[in-house]
Every structure is written in structure tokens, then in C-alpha cells.
Amino acid sequence: MKKYLPIIFVLSLVKLVIHLVANRNYGFHRDELLHLSVSEHLDWGYMEFPPFIAFVGKLAHFLFGYSLSGVRLFPTVAGVAILVLCCMIAKELGGKKNAIMLAGISVLAFIPFFRNHTLFQPVAFDQFFWTLGFYFLIRYFNTKNIKFLIYLGITAGIGLLNKYTFVVWGLGIAIGLLFFEKGRVFRNKWLYISGILAFIIVLPNILWQFNHDFPLLTHLQQLKESQLDEIGPYDFALEQLKMPFTLLISLIGLLASFFDSELNKYKSIGVAVLVIFFTMWVLQSKAYYFFAIYPILFALGAVKVEKILERKPVWNYAVATVLFVPTVYFIPMATPILPIEDFVAYSKLQPEKDGRIILTGDYADMFGWDEQVKLVDSLYRSLPKMEKENCIILAENYGEAGAVKILGDQYNLPDPVSRHGSFWTWGPGKKNPEVVISLGNEDEVVNELFEEYTLVKEITHKYAIDEENDIPVYICRKPKVKLHQIWPGLEKYIFE
């Protein structure tokens, strides 16, 4: 393996440098603000997701504070680790220099990974745990060493603490193992010990779900109604076609797992891939959930291509060029490697009549938060001391609440209150405020809660997403109701 380290190092360095440049640009995405906010309330679960991202967020804050580039280093490291694992898997599958190169290039050329490995979200870690699980599985196939089954169980347990879609990975693996040596592994007690170990690791989160009436089910239902039902019957499959060159490598790898005389010993991997694909398709999953499967397919495809080109190895470099060169144009659209003004010019975006520039959802969701927090801070500081001590900041959604919590840290703002997502679980606090700064709540909401309220400003930003433009900010007094009394009834609005 040592002789292949220079190839892996160079490819990893390329990926790392691209992300280090991109990670410092724009601002936090609304989801990143939520994930950092939950890290301030460590628990075994949250309304929207399992706890792993909160633990990583706590570590990120300990090391880097709320530095944008520091926080984003963690998904980037996960992305680099995926590239390294993909190359290691190619080696385990019998690949040599060119296969390892093609495996790494495939990860670099897969455009969605640039987005996934930039944002501080569970996605990057999910992809890492999927790839690590496949690596341990292949190591077990090759060595029959039971320690890799134990490692597989640990990976599965931690993977479930990161993202619940790992259940689908487990289903695929379980069915795939039926096709490895005629299912002999199911007679091995260590497989079941591995499963028990995974269960023990995830058990605290299961108990948390039980104690909170399984908010996961409510969240899945809301997600289905608001997003998944809008996905067409073929959208999941069609989305995979948008990356044709890396898809071709993947399909070559999938076919090789069934029909190649040397690689068909890994046909259980191919079966697992098909089970996962069709399960996600039937469940109308978002297309990016499936992206975690590609590193194992890249490794299989790279090994097969190296074999096909065994007599003309120079052609491997042509394949690598075809894979990566077309990617370069799209990198600024997947990760913010360009300053925003340069990106607007690069993408040839034109301003709307009101002067706004319409960006993609991810990029647009990185703007506007600083302006909101600065205005809230100026209002808070303008209050008399007595009012300031008994003031709360009431935010309409988790993005706005997260901005006040994370970006407001530098201003020593009080913790925000919001009925949205996990913020609801932390309640309205013990204050009985006479003054409330309302951020993002519409007129009918503040009118229902307060006798007196004054619109201070409607915040706009030329790059911000639609729902974070024309954001009303109110100073409110004389509450009609006590928040702690109505708070339990707001639970039904958590996922709206």
C-alpha cells in the first residue's frame, strides 16, 4: 500500500485545497446554524435528527469557536477520508496504481460531493460511515477476520446516531450477505454480536425517541407532505443521470460485481446496492441520499477499467481526464470557491427589477443572517437596562433563531426563543418579558401575542433566499399571554 500513498496524497491534497479555499466564503447556511445551535444543548436526540452532528459541533466550537472555516473543516475532513477509503477499497478489490488513481479521481469528479463536503450537515458524515462500512465488509470478505465484523457493527451504530437513512444501508447489507458464500456468515455468531453492538450504541437515541413520543415519525410525515410528495416517480432515478461520466464508472463497477470472473466474489455488494437503490426509489427518497453509495461503486468500476485497459495502461489517464476536466467548470456552482461578486459574473446572473440576485437555494441560504443579527443587537442595546434584563428575542424559524444563537454569540445576545424545530424543546425560558424583539414573525402573529408592537424595519438582502427577504422586525410590549403557558400547545407547529 505504501507505494500508492503518493497518488492518494496528491488527490487528497487537491480536494482539501479546493475546500479550504471555499469553506471561508459567504456565510453559514441555515442548517449549519441549527446544527451548531443543538451542540449547545447536548442530548441523545433532537426533533429533526440524531445526536452525532451535535457532538461534532461541540468539538468544532471547542477547537475553533464559531469560525466558518473551522466548523466546515469537519465535513471536509470526512470528504477527504471518503476519497482515501475509496482508494483503499480499490486496493482491497485487487486494484493497482491506475485503479487507485481512477477511484480517487472519481470521488473528485463527483460534483455533488463538493457541496456535501462543504456544509456542516450530517450528509458528509453519512457518506463517510457508508464508505467505512463497505471497507470493513470487504476486509472481512478477504480475510475472514471477525474483528472486521465488530468494526462493521460499531460503524453501523455510530452511523445510525448520525442519520437514520443508515437503516436502508443496513437492509441492503443484510440482504447482500445472503449472496456471500451462500449466506454462511449468518451462521457466524460474531455477525449477531456485531448487530447487538450496533443496537447498544444507538439505544440511547431510541430511548430518547420513546421519551419524546417519536418525533422522528412526525418529522418524516411532514417531510413527505412538504417535499417528498412533490418528487415525481422517476425523479430519484433521473437525478442520478446528471453526472454521466462518474455514473458510467459506477455502472461498470456494479456490472463487474456480478459478471467479472474475479470481482463477482463481491456480488453481495452489487446486491446491496440494488436493494438500497430500489428501496430509496420506492420510498421517494431525495436523490442525494443515494450518493453515499457511489464510493464503493467507483472503487469497483476503477478496478474493472484498469483490467480492461491492462494492455494499454496509458488510456487510464485519458479516462481520468474525461472524468475530471468537465467537472472543473461546475465546481464554483457546487462549493463557494469564488467570492460572491465573481460567482455572479461567472454564472452570468442578472439582477431582478428590485435589484436582487437569485442564487441557488444553498448559496442564497448563506446570506442575510449577519444583517438580521446586527439589527437585533442594535435594538437590544438601545433598551433601558431594566428592559434589557427581562427581554427575549422571539424568532420565527430555526434559521433566524440559529443566527441569533450562533452569530449573536459575539454580541452576547440572550438565547433566542422559537417554536420551530428543536428550539421548541428548549422552551421560552423563565423570564416573564415585558419587552420582546420579534424577528421574522408576521403582523398577525405579534398582534395575537402583544397589545403594543412597532415595526422597526423589514430586512432585505440582494443575495438572500426569498423567505429571508422582507423580514419584519418588531419591538413588542404588553404581552397578552404568557409564553410558558401557551408553549406546550405550540408543539404541533414544530415542523411547519
Side-chain angles (χ1 to χ4, degrees):
M1 187 66 187
K2 288 183 178 180
K3 61 182 178 180
Y4 303 130
L5 288 179
I7 298 173
I8 299 174
F9 175 78
V10 169
L11 294 175
S12 299
L13 185 62
V14 171
K15 182 170 179 63
L16 180 62
V17 168
I18 290 172
H19 282 286
L20 289 181
V21 173
N23 287 354
R24 60 187 181 175
N25 286 332
Y26 308 175
F28 282 114
H29 186 281
R30 75 166 63 234
D31 290 352
E32 293 178 302
L33 294 170
L34 173 62
H35 298 142
L36 290 172
S37 295
V38 299
S39 73
E40 296 292 330
H41 301 266
L42 289 183
D43 206 341
W44 281 109
Y46 300 96
M47 290 296 181
E48 305 92 337
F49 38 73
F52 182 82
I53 192 71
F55 299 144
V56 180
K58 197 68 172 180
L59 177 61
H61 182 253
F62 175 76
L63 294 175
F64 304 111
Y66 289 132
S67 160
L68 180 65
S69 57
V71 169
R72 287 180 173 174
L73 181 62
F74 286 84
T76 292
V77 169
V80 172
I82 288 168
L83 187 151
V84 173
L85 281 170
C86 186
C87 294
M88 292 172 66
I89 291 172
K91 171 67 170 57
E92 282 296 316
L93 295 173
K96 297 181 174 58
K97 180 184 73 172
N98 289 326
I100 289 169
M101 175 195 66
L102 289 175
I105 286 287
S106 295
V107 173
L108 271 179
F110 192 65
I111 284 292
F113 280 170
F114 285 104
R115 186 265 189 196
N116 299 154
H117 304 158
T118 295
L119 298 180
F120 185 71
Q121 297 175 328
V123 179
F125 307 110
D126 185 50
Q127 294 166 355
F128 168 74
F129 288 125
W130 281 46
T131 308
L132 183 64
F134 278 121
Y135 172 72
F136 288 141
L137 188 62
I138 289 170
R139 289 281 283 158
Y140 173 73
F141 289 168
N142 289 346
T143 66
K144 301 301 189 295
N145 191 326
I146 59 172
K147 72 178 182 181
F148 292 112
L149 287 179
I150 298 301
Y151 296 159
L152 186 67
I154 295 172
T155 301
I158 300 174
L160 283 166
L161 286 179
N162 175 66
K163 198 168 174 66
Y164 295 122
T165 51
F166 212 87
V167 170
V168 182
W169 181 89
L171 174 65
I173 294 299
I175 295 176
L177 286 175
L178 293 172
F179 295 83
F180 177 67
E181 296 182 348
K182 299 181 179 180
R184 185 182 302 173
V185 69
F186 285 99
R187 297 194 290 272
N188 188 332
K189 68 178 181 181
W190 289 101
L191 178 66
Y192 300 98
I193 293 173
S194 174
I196 292 170
L197 187 57
F199 177 76
I200 291 172
I201 291 172
V202 79
L203 181 59
N205 178 249
I206 296 174
L207 294 176
W208 185 94
Q209 285 283 338
F210 177 80
N211 290 332
H212 290 79
D213 299 322
F214 289 94
L216 168 64
L217 301 179
T218 306
H219 189 211
L220 288 176
Q221 181 61 32
Q222 185 277 337
L223 187 66
K224 179 178 184 298
E225 293 173 357
S226 64
Q227 297 183 38
L228 301 184
D229 282 348
E230 297 177 5
I231 298 175
Y234 303 106
D235 288 356
F236 176 81
L238 292 174
E239 191 72 20
Q240 315 301 323
L241 302 179
K242 291 185 176 180
M243 290 67 67
F245 297 120
T246 49
L247 178 63
L248 182 59
I249 291 290
S250 303
L251 292 176
I252 290 172
L254 179 62
L255 291 172
S257 70
F258 289 103
F259 303 112
D260 183 89
S261 59
E262 295 178 7
L263 291 175
N264 66 3
K265 66 180 285 189
Y266 305 107
K267 65 183 176 183
S268 58
I269 300 294
V271 172
V273 170
L274 292 176
V275 170
I276 292 168
F277 178 81
F278 285 108
T279 299
M280 287 187 167
W281 193 354
V282 169
L283 294 176
Q284 289 184 285
S285 300
K286 295 181 180 180
Y288 77 83
Y289 294 174
F290 187 70
F291 293 166
I293 206 74
Y294 281 110
I296 182 65
L297 293 177
F298 292 157
L300 282 162
V303 173
K304 180 60 179 178
V305 169
E306 182 184 55
K307 288 180 63 179
I308 293 172
L309 301 176
E310 188 173 9
R311 295 186 178 181
K312 296 181 179 180
V314 70
W315 281 96
N316 285 285
Y317 297 100
V319 174
T321 301
V322 170
L323 281 172
F324 185 68
V325 170
T327 298
V328 174
Y329 174 79
F330 297 99
I331 290 176
M333 302 171 190
T335 192
I337 196 169
L338 297 177
I340 186 59
E341 294 81 5
D342 294 341
F343 175 75
V344 169
Y346 183 82
S347 303
K348 299 178 181 179
L349 299 176
Q350 297 299 319
E352 301 292 300
K353 291 181 180 180
D354 59 1
R356 290 184 57 212
I357 303 291
I358 306 302
L359 303 175
T360 60
D362 278 338
Y363 283 179
D365 246 336
M366 298 178 189
F367 291 95
W369 308 116
D370 284 308
E371 289 73 15
Q372 292 181 21
V373 175
K374 286 177 182 177
L375 178 57
V376 169
D377 176 63
S378 68
L379 291 175
Y380 180 71
R381 303 217 172 276
S382 70
L383 297 174
K385 183 178 180 181
M386 291 296 293
E387 288 190 338
K388 190 184 298 183
E389 290 176 353
N390 207 30
C391 171
I392 69 168
I393 300 168
L394 183 63
E396 193 274 333
N397 62 52
Y398 72 76
E400 295 153 3
V404 172
K405 174 64 180 174
I406 303 307
L407 303 181
D409 183 66
Q410 61 185 309
Y411 303 110
N412 294 315
L413 288 172
D415 286 347
V417 172
S418 178
R419 54 83 188 163
H420 199 207
S422 287
F423 280 92
W424 175 85
T425 64
W426 307 321
K430 298 179 180 180
K431 294 180 180 179
N432 289 314
E434 291 300 321
V435 179
V436 171
I437 299 174
S438 171
L439 175 61
N441 296 290
E442 298 296 335
D443 180 270
E444 57 268 25
V445 175
V446 293
N447 180 57
E448 186 176 338
L449 297 177
F450 304 96
E451 291 183 13
E452 293 182 4
Y453 55 93
T454 302
L455 177 64
V456 177
K457 185 177 181 180
E458 289 187 343
I459 305 174
T460 61
H461 194 290
K462 66 184 294 186
Y463 297 126
I465 199 167
D466 284 346
E467 68 179 277
E468 296 303 331
N469 259 291
D470 300 319
I471 294 300
V473 178
Y474 291 90
I475 286 283
C476 308
R477 290 180 169 86
K478 295 184 179 180
K480 296 178 181 179
V481 296
K482 294 185 182 299
L483 280 177
H484 69 271
Q485 292 178 345
I486 66 169
W487 204 255
L490 298 179
E491 183 177 7
K492 59 186 176 183
Y493 302 112
I494 286 177
F495 297 117
E496 286 190 357

